[in-house]
Amino acid sequence: MTGYVPINKDLIREITVYDIPSTWSQLNMLNHLKAWGQVVAIKFKSQQKYVTVTVLIELNQAANGLWNDGVWTAPLGGLPVRWFPANWNLKQRKERERFQAVLKGVPASVTTAMLYPENPAHSILAPIGCKAFKLIQDRGSRKLITYFESWADLDKVIGKPFSLDEFTGDWMRYFTPNLKQRRRNPQKMNQEGDSKVRPTNTNTQSSKKQKVAKEIKNIDKALGGIDKLTILAEIRSMLRKLG
């Protein structure tokens, strides 16, 4: 909580924000979010190169206009970030990644600032109708990934050439790779060890009785002509008490 008390509850929105660089400090994020309005509460979740933020904010008129227009990307600190209603689950957010196109081999001279000027309506990407974009470095090659609202919009650009600076490439269909590793199979149990039969309490008791009987027999032999019956009776009586 920031301590701010909202004035206009009609402008309060809870928003999940993607694509925030992890190099930004939390204080920087809060300062950049002031361009959208007054922050009431905020949560941060680090994800490698990026941070996902969930913010409860009282939007200003400009930001509220973008939100109500259904814009997928909003400017934050000079960068385009994707925003979603915070009550959307992961499946709903991923639905916006369903229709993607990619340009491969984009040169380093093509920057985010070039693709997303201060007025996004003047972006070189505006004519193709994409709703969001991302520049990524993948295995030594730079890629420009664009997101579309429908298959009809995506189909209009697939296979078509597109020029950026001195670079020209063809749009190709793109799918977000699944980065989740398969769960490893649990280690096999040592069946040989598990198959060994452990001695039971019954077997242990039987073994003890056999030892006692053997000892009594040995004593019986050693006593010879002594009044062994009396002594043996006493021994058996003592053993019963111990048992």
Side-chain angles (χ1 to χ4, degrees), residues 32-33 35 44 50 52 68-69 71-72 75 98 109 118 124 129 131 133 145 152 158 161 163 165 174 180 187 204 237:
H32 290 319
L33 284 168
F44 305 90
Y50 298 98
T52 298
N68 290 338
D69 288 343
V71 173
W72 289 15
R98 186 176 179 184
S109 59
E118 187 173 346
I124 192 173
K131 302 286 286 186
F133 76 90
I145 300 170
I158 295 299
S163 297
D165 203 7
Y174 184 76
K180 293 182 179 179
Q187 294 181 351
T204 303
S237 177

Side-chain angles (χ1 to χ4, degrees), residues 167-196:
F167 167 81
T168 299
D170 292 339
W171 289 109
M172 301 170 59
R173 184 76 193 274
Y174 184 76
F175 299 92
T176 301
N178 185 3
L179 300 180
K180 293 182 179 179
Q181 296 181 351
R182 294 181 180 179
R183 293 182 179 179
R184 295 182 179 179
N185 292 329
Q187 294 181 351
K188 293 182 179 180
M189 296 178 63
N190 187 343
Q191 296 180 356
E192 182 179 354
D194 291 342
S195 63
K196 292 180 180 179

